[in-house]
Amino acid sequence: MNTFSALFLLALVIATGMRLWLASRHVAYIRRHREAVPAEFAPQITLEAHQKAADYSSVRTRFGTVHTLVDAAILLLLTFGGLLQTFDTWAARWFDSEILRGAALIGLFAVFSALVDLPFSYYRTFSIEARFGFNKMTRAMWIADLLKAALLASAFGVPLVLAVLWLMGKMGALWWLYVWVVWVGFSVFMMAIYPAFIAPLFNRFAPMQEGSLKQRIEALLVKCGFRSSGLFVMDGSKRSTHGNAYFTGFGKTKRIVFFDTLISRLNENEIEAVLAHELGHFKLHHVVRRMAWTFAVSLLFLWLLGLLKDAAWFYHGLGVDFPAANAMALLLFVLVVPVFTFLLQPLVAMYSRKHEFEADEYAARYSSARELVNALVKLYKDNASTLTPDPLHSAFYDSHPPASIRIAKLQSLAAH
Ligand SMILES: [Zn+2]
């Protein structure tokens, strides 16, 4: 134990305490507003739907609390509890080569994390989502998804890990710069192949049928000056009744994807307005800017890891022997950074909410604010999203503005 241990434990207590406190505020706030639908939503949302949303949000938040506590315990087990050290001892017994030993350590960690997460994922799907009528997945489908995800993670993860460990061992003091280049290349590659090669392993994508909806969408695309290589409808209803629309890929592989659940619930005006919002994200460069941020932050973190990698206090402070394998430095860093950056979470959320407002304005300009309001209210209702989040909880975490503020802004745009 050293000063860094104390700092790390303090940060962990603060982050965990904050999470629990925000969750309890959120649940209490939702409970307090459970008995009446907020006035501005009263015409479209019944008390029954409002209460379902309140209960769904409360249950999910309480479940998140359990997850937070388990995560903190696991983190302590891995570090001070000596579990990572044990994994490393096993890996060293199996392999002589530094790279293979490191890859085995990361592999053991990945399998362990996946196993810890499994009961949570199972409970979320078959207890919570099922209880509120959202889940459509069978157990066979859940297991098949799991196996596919594991195969994909191995197929793409193992070569990436081997490349990173090789660079860390061979490239001297500037290894982090080389790793960053590989990381950026890998991310761009994954984004490029995702729509055509990975997403179809999980869902069916049918080209949108000819008809009035497709014509309207194409007219909107022309109006916004947007070119895509296809409009697709995805069988999201196979897994869940939650609806969505999104863009994937970039350049030549750029696609617009609608969940079938969205198409079946919204009318053509509303679908157009939702699409205009999504186009807004694209046209206002939100997507590119977010990517640039991600790459810049990962460069900063890799540089920081470059400094920590050979510092004995970093390992000793986390209960691990020094000198240690490069893979150990990577794992410790990935585990510890989120604890220290937790308090930056509100900034990330605020940045995202700013983009949401801008995309709403774009939709108001190119389509219709009033139709977007109608669509959002339907989606809030269908997804049982709470209309009354705790303001502080929302400010901390939410990527989208609270329903009432977002709708009020859109209504003022509609009035102009
Ligand atoms: Zn958005």
Side-chain angles (χ1 to χ4, degrees):
M1 295 288 258
N2 58 23
T3 316
F4 182 61
S5 315
L7 267 177
F8 167 63
L9 288 173
L10 181 68
L12 182 62
V13 168
I14 291 174
T16 307
M18 282 287 284
R19 279 182 188 281
L20 299 180
W21 178 65
L22 287 167
S24 78
R25 278 182 60 108
H26 189 47
V27 171
Y29 195 93
I30 290 170
R31 297 269 119 201
R32 272 206 304 285
H33 293 84
R34 191 177 179 277
E35 296 312 318
V37 183
E40 65 268 40
F41 296 102
Q44 304 105 311
I45 291 188
T46 62
L47 182 63
E48 195 194 355
H50 175 64
Q51 295 190 329
K52 178 187 172 186
D55 296 340
Y56 180 56
S57 302
S58 305
V59 168
R60 292 211 317 169
T61 307
R62 287 214 192 91
F63 179 63
T65 307
V66 179
H67 213 159
T68 300
L69 287 169
V70 170
D71 279 349
I74 296 282
L75 184 52
L76 292 174
L77 178 70
L78 284 164
T79 51
F80 301 110
L83 191 57
L84 279 181
Q85 194 76 68
T86 305
F87 286 163
D88 191 41
T89 312
W90 294 352
R93 211 174 292 153
W94 300 337
F95 297 106
D96 288 329
S97 135
E98 155 96 23
I99 290 181
L100 292 181
R101 172 184 158 189
L105 169 62
I106 290 175
L108 282 167
F109 168 78
V111 170
F112 171 75
S113 308
L115 289 177
V116 169
D117 223 43
L118 222 51
F120 285 99
S121 157
Y122 185 89
Y123 185 83
R124 193 182 304 119
T125 307
F126 296 107
S127 179
I128 300 179
E129 293 293 301
R131 195 183 331 157
F132 288 90
F134 293 127
N135 182 46
K136 292 278 201 68
M137 242 200 269
T138 62
R139 280 163 179 80
M141 207 190 284
W142 186 76
I143 291 170
D145 278 3
L146 209 70
L147 292 177
K148 281 185 232 170
L151 281 175
L152 283 172
S154 320
F156 292 103
V158 171
L160 177 70
V161 163
L162 290 174
V164 167
L165 292 176
W166 185 80
L167 290 170
M168 285 179 89
K170 285 276 186 276
M171 290 302 162
L174 284 180
W175 67 266
W176 52 273
L177 201 55
Y178 292 90
V179 168
W180 182 72
V181 171
V182 167
W183 171 246
V184 169
F186 177 79
S187 305
V188 171
F189 170 71
M190 290 307 287
M191 279 186 273
I193 67 165
Y194 181 83
F197 297 99
I198 296 186
L201 297 174
F202 294 90
N203 283 97
R204 265 223 308 277
F205 293 82
M208 182 175 273
Q209 281 173 8
E210 297 299 330
S212 57
L213 177 62
K214 191 173 176 190
Q215 283 169 7
R216 286 194 61 166
I217 290 174
E218 280 170 346
L220 178 71
L221 294 180
V222 170
K223 191 166 149 193
C224 298
F226 185 89
R227 263 217 292 242
S228 94
S229 67
L231 295 169
F232 292 85
V233 178
M234 189 189 100
D235 60 345
S237 58
K238 188 167 106 176
R239 290 190 177 77
S240 156
T241 61
H242 290 303
N244 212 341
Y246 68 91
F247 287 95
T248 65
F250 58 93
K252 281 206 182 99
T253 66
K254 201 159 58 200
R255 295 176 169 196
I256 298 172
V257 176
F258 293 94
F259 281 42
D260 54 356
T261 34
L262 189 91
I263 303 247
S264 68
R265 283 291 298 140
L266 302 184
N267 67 35
E268 290 187 3
N269 296 337
E270 294 160 350
I271 293 172
E272 187 202 273
V274 168
L275 178 63
H277 170 97
E278 295 301 326
L279 284 170
H281 281 310
F282 207 88
K283 278 284 162 182
L284 302 169
H285 310 298
H286 296 163
V287 183
V288 174
R289 247 184 272 168
R290 180 171 288 263
M291 231 157 70
W293 265 106
T294 312
F295 290 148
V297 169
S298 58
L299 181 62
L300 178 74
F301 280 145
L302 279 166
W303 167 77
L304 189 62
L305 178 58
L307 298 182
L308 292 174
K309 188 167 87 74
D310 301 311
W313 59 263
F314 175 61
Y315 302 86
H316 289 152
L318 296 168
V320 172
D321 294 343
F322 181 80
N326 286 330
M328 184 64 94
L330 268 179
L331 283 181
L332 287 178
F333 193 72
V334 166
L335 285 170
V336 162
V337 160
V339 175
F340 285 101
T341 56
F342 174 70
L343 292 174
L344 298 176
Q345 172 71 32
L347 291 179
V348 179
M350 198 164 67
Y351 184 64
S352 167
R353 289 195 299 269
K354 180 174 166 285
H355 284 173
E356 292 307 324
F357 283 128
E358 289 171 9
D360 280 353
E361 271 170 40
Y362 186 90
R365 198 169 339 128
Y366 285 92
S367 178
S368 153
R370 200 163 285 121
E371 296 297 346
L372 186 55
V373 169
N374 293 341
L376 286 173
V377 172
K378 273 193 192 172
L379 293 174
Y380 290 139
K381 180 168 169 290
D382 286 356
N383 291 327
S385 311
T386 180
L387 302 172
T388 57
D390 171 49
L392 198 62
H393 184 276
S394 176
F396 221 89
Y397 293 115
D398 288 353
S399 59
H400 289 64
S404 55
I405 296 178
R406 189 169 176 194
I407 299 289
K409 263 232 167 111
L410 277 167
Q411 270 159 353
S412 78
L413 288 170
H416 287 312

